[in-house]
Amino acid sequence: MDMRRIVAVLAEEAEQQIQDHVWEVEPGDSALARDTEAGLREVVGPPDVQEALPQIKRLERLRETLAVLAISLARTHGRLAWFLSGALNALEPVLHWRALPADRGGTFGTVLPSAEEYTEAEDAVRRLQDVLAQISRR
């Protein structure tokens, strides 16, 4: 399953839990979702902006999204934490990517991602931005 699909499943579950009143979004969750969404938007912009960047910058920004999610996860518990944990898990392949060629020696298991993989990860982050924006309005 690709990152976009995993995030879509997470989004559907979050939306369903909120709609069914299984997840009652508390004001603190709403504020943290708003801050997280803003942090993600700061590092991953619209497709045309991202695609114009060199691959090393795109990877840098995708790694920053992991940091934003991890810091937010550290600040919450319950359903929002579970959602953020799932988001981090979905984007985990980014941790195995590198943007530089390996002239000599090993690469510690890293791989050079394709342009499509960058796009897939950035699309997944944009979907997370949208879901967090919805959560923040609750």
Side-chain angles (χ1 to χ4, degrees):
M1 195 179 303
D2 73 21
M3 288 179 258
R4 281 183 292 236
R5 183 68 194 134
I6 295 169
V7 169
V9 169
L10 286 171
E12 290 167 14
E13 184 176 354
E15 291 162 356
Q16 191 64 53
Q17 286 187 19
I18 291 169
Q19 181 180 345
D20 294 346
H21 301 285
V22 172
W23 182 0
E24 297 291 338
V25 179
E26 300 293 327
D29 284 350
S30 181
L32 184 59
R34 186 179 315 98
D35 292 346
T36 305
E37 182 259 341
L40 293 178
R41 285 201 194 277
E42 190 174 307
V43 291
V44 173
D48 59 327
V49 172
Q50 291 302 119
E51 290 169 8
L53 296 171
Q55 286 188 347
I56 197 164
K57 267 295 190 202
R58 290 176 82 178
L59 180 55
E60 179 183 301
R61 289 178 176 213
L62 285 168
R63 288 177 179 161
E64 286 182 48
T65 66
L66 295 170
V68 168
L69 291 168
I71 290 168
S72 295
L73 174 61
R75 294 180 176 158
T76 192
H77 301 282
R79 295 191 188 277
L80 182 57
W82 304 339
F83 175 79
L84 294 172
S85 178
L88 278 161
N89 209 20
L91 295 170
E92 184 268 341
V94 170
L95 294 173
H96 302 282
W97 292 357
R98 61 185 164 85
L100 301 174
D103 296 332
R104 292 181 277 215
T107 64
F108 302 97
T110 60
V111 297
L112 291 169
S114 67
E116 293 80 25
E117 288 172 307
Y118 279 108
T119 299
E120 175 189 331
E122 292 160 351
D123 287 346
V125 171
R126 285 185 203 93
R127 181 68 172 112
L128 287 171
Q129 293 167 356
D130 294 342
V131 175
L132 288 163
Q134 291 172 1
I135 292 169
S136 73
R137 291 191 288 271
R138 298 291 173 167

